[in-house]
Amino acid sequence: MLRVAVPNKGALSESAVTMLKEAGYRQRRDSRELVLVDPEHQIEFFYLRPRDIAVYVGGGTLDVGITGRDLLLDSGADAEEDLALDFARSTFRFAGPAGEFESIGQLQGRRVATSYDGLLRDYLSGRGVEADVVRLDGAVESSIRLGVADAIADVVETGNTLRAAGLQVFGDPIMTSEALLIRSRRAAEEPEGLAVLRRRLQGVLVARRYVMMDYDVAEELVEAATQITPGMEGPTISPLGRGNAWAVRAMVPKADTNKVMDALYEVGARAILVSPIQAARI
């Protein structure tokens, strides 16, 4: 069986479980379950701390796992990105008391608190900045007020938590992160079953990003209309049972749905309908 590590709690966990369900896999119903076997698909899921997943995968104990890019790089594990999953997006940034810092050069000789000490040390070393990295497991924003650090480096999503603590970001982002499917660098061959898992997850990504658009258009307007809806590999065009009208079907980016519908109407398309895509294989 393909052995897959899944985050056991937090935002990563909820979104990962949802995506795996959409991909057709069984998932646990009780948060106390540590292992779930899906014999129909020859796959076994292990629910682990997000921070530990890269270690298990990199060491070859498990075949693949879902974790954040920030956690993967911070772990130093012998694992690599296999597929970006387009959720849990965040930015890893420096922050300090409002008005005190403008660039990372000002961190020279100062104390910087973080939960990602490996990642931070590599970043500072690569830029010639010598700072005292203070590792904390949580509540990094409070470290300055408590006198533990002069600045922090932390994952920022909205910035509301930092502002509430009287902090502001400075310098360039250290990195951007999102959820990934990761695999071990040690495996000589791709684990059996990984290709199917990857294809299913890619299908979920396509289904989330696109909708199916159908419309009717006169024959002389087909070229203009299909330039608006080229589809992924070209639109499907079929004759209607009346006159010189044609029916067109194409995949359209979900974010552009209303803009595309307006453009089609302007060139003369009618009966424009949009349907969600439940699953896909591209």
Side-chain angles (χ1 to χ4, degrees), residues 210-214 249 273-278:
Y210 288 85
V211 294
M212 191 65 72
M213 189 170 291
D214 294 89
R249 163 170 281 199
L273 304 175
V274 176
S275 306
I277 299 173
Q278 298 299 326

Side-chain angles (χ1 to χ4, degrees), residues 159-229:
N160 292 335
T161 304
L162 292 179
R163 286 189 289 272
L167 306 178
Q168 68 179 30
V169 299
F170 65 90
D172 295 329
I174 300 169
M175 66 168 295
T176 56
S177 182
E178 66 177 303
L180 306 173
L181 178 69
I182 65 170
R183 56 179 294 187
S184 174
R185 289 196 185 99
R186 298 183 180 185
E189 298 180 357
E190 182 172 293
E192 185 175 351
L194 175 55
V196 174
L197 173 63
R198 184 190 300 118
R199 193 159 55 241
R200 287 190 175 206
L201 293 177
Q202 288 171 330
V204 173
L205 292 173
V206 171
R208 289 178 174 182
R209 294 169 181 166
Y210 288 85
V211 294
M212 191 65 72
M213 189 170 291
D214 294 89
Y215 57 90
D216 299 343
V217 66
E219 184 174 8
E220 65 271 17
L221 301 175
V222 169
E223 183 176 355
T226 55
Q227 287 181 357
I228 300 170
T229 58

Side-chain angles (χ1 to χ4, degrees), residues 29-102:
R29 297 181 179 179
D30 189 334
S31 61
R32 292 173 295 184
E33 288 185 77
L34 301 179
V35 181
L36 183 141
V37 179
D38 186 345
E40 180 182 356
H41 300 104
Q42 287 295 294
I43 194 165
E44 194 171 9
F45 297 102
F46 295 81
Y47 299 89
L48 305 168
R49 290 178 64 233
R51 184 170 287 276
D52 296 336
I53 287 175
V55 177
Y56 282 104
V57 173
T61 304
L62 299 177
D63 298 312
V64 295
I66 296 175
T67 191
R69 180 178 290 116
D70 49 358
L71 295 171
L72 169 63
L73 296 179
D74 186 60
S75 71
D78 199 11
E80 61 185 359
E81 176 178 338
D82 187 89
L83 178 66
L85 299 178
D86 198 27
F87 67 84
R89 292 183 175 274
S90 61
T91 306
F92 191 43
R93 304 204 63 162
F94 290 107
E100 186 169 336
F101 296 96
E102 294 182 359

